[in-house]
Amino acid sequence: DTAVSQTPKYLVTQMGNDKSIKCEQNLGHDTMYWYKQDSKKFLKIMFSYNNKELIINETVPNRFSPKSPDKAHLNLHINSLELGDSAVYFCASSPPGGASGELFFGEGSRLTVL
Amino acid sequence: SQQGEEDPQALSIQEGENATMNCSYKTSINNLQWYRQNSGRGLVHLILIRSNEREKHSGRLRVTLDTSKKSSSLLITASRAADTASYFCATILGSARQLTFGSGTQLTVLP
């Protein structure tokens, strides 16, 4: 009965590779997010989708491409991985009203680029 | 610059003591939220306080908000070892549509 689930939890890959992280929520929320948490635990929003439509796209390299096949899923694809992409990526969702209420987070996907 | 700065960055206390963490922000807000993150886990929402509220309680948690000083505090009373975690404040700043997180306070409760 996991609310927001991400896969994989750990991802180790070489520089230059392409990888994807998947996220699914079973809460019936309309809005989903991707956040990046660096080694100092600083959280920065990357993208936000509302009902499959992109509403926030912060300044991230275009190597990062989110895809939302339906409002319960928001996947993150990363091309040509770089060392600086190493971080923990969190998916989150929020009920109608957007982020004015609480966010529900997944457990995170730790990406290590070698 | 990062909006929402927690203070202190790290706090270590004995079990049973109270822990106070502070958060400052720079622009107007609609509400302010506090989240907890256990090591290796996702963030969990603790409490939300609206801009027209001054204090809110939830179990052993007490949150205050001073909009004139643009600051909030989270008090955890009678702390337990299980309270060991990072605590983040988060706000929607001005007309922004996303939740912006502070830098977090790492709380360690020693048994």
Side-chain angles (χ1 to χ4, degrees):
Chain A
D1 59 347
T2 304
V4 181
S5 59
Q6 303 177 221
T7 55
K9 188 171 174 64
Y10 299 98
L11 191 51
V12 181
T13 188
Q14 297 287 332
M15 246 179 10
N17 284 349
D18 304 337
K19 291 294 178 186
S20 292
I21 306 171
K22 295 185 177 181
C23 178
E24 176 182 4
Q25 54 94 5
N26 62 4
L27 298 166
H29 291 166
D30 287 337
T31 309
M32 296 184 71
Y33 311 81
W34 277 109
Y35 279 84
K36 177 180 179 181
Q37 187 174 46
D38 63 21
S39 58
K40 295 183 178 179
K41 295 195 174 180
F42 175 54
L43 270 160
K44 182 175 170 60
I45 188 161
M46 301 174 70
F47 301 102
S48 173
Y49 269 73
N50 182 267
N51 210 3
K52 300 194 300 176
E53 182 180 338
L54 180 67
I55 56 171
I56 294 173
N57 182 356
E58 289 296 305
T59 307
V60 298
N62 57 14
R63 299 182 293 104
F64 291 79
S65 53
K67 285 185 173 53
S68 182
D70 55 62
K71 74 173 191 177
H73 295 84
L74 180 61
N75 304 323
L76 184 65
H77 188 77
I78 315 170
N79 290 326
S80 303
L81 279 156
E82 300 178 356
L83 294 176
D85 297 332
S86 295
V88 183
Y89 292 85
F90 285 97
C91 177
S93 70
S94 63
S100 58
E102 67 178 280
L103 295 187
F104 292 77
F105 281 84
E107 291 294 287
S109 297
R110 180 176 292 276
L111 171 65
T112 302
V113 182
L114 304 174
Chain B
S1 65
Q2 181 181 341
Q3 306 274 18
E5 299 284 342
E6 278 93 338
D7 167 53
Q9 288 189 340
L11 180 61
S12 185
I13 60 174
Q14 295 289 331
E15 208 164 24
E17 293 180 340
N18 295 342
T20 300
M21 288 157 271
N22 303 298
C23 169
S24 61
Y25 56 91
K26 296 180 181 177
T27 61
S28 62
I29 61 170
N30 296 317
N31 64 57
L32 186 140
Q33 304 178 38
W34 285 90
Y35 286 78
R36 183 187 74 233
Q37 183 181 29
N38 288 68
S39 180
R41 306 295 299 273
L43 282 80
V44 174
H45 181 265
L46 293 176
I47 197 165
L48 180 153
I49 186 165
R50 303 194 186 283
S51 59
N52 61 355
E53 297 176 311
R54 291 296 167 259
E55 189 169 311
K56 203 161 182 180
H57 297 254
S58 177
R60 292 184 297 113
L61 305 181
R62 177 182 149 226
V63 168
T64 62
L65 179 64
D66 187 336
T67 52
S68 66
K69 294 181 179 178
K70 292 187 169 57
S71 67
S72 173
S73 67
L74 170 67
L75 169 67
I76 303 174
T77 60
S79 63
R80 306 166 182 168
D83 294 328
T84 294
S86 293
Y87 291 82
F88 296 87
C89 66
T91 61
I92 295 179
L93 301 167
S95 59
R97 292 178 295 179
Q98 72 267 25
L99 206 55
T100 299
F101 285 82
S103 49
T105 293
Q106 173 61 50
L107 173 65
T108 303
V109 181
L110 303 169

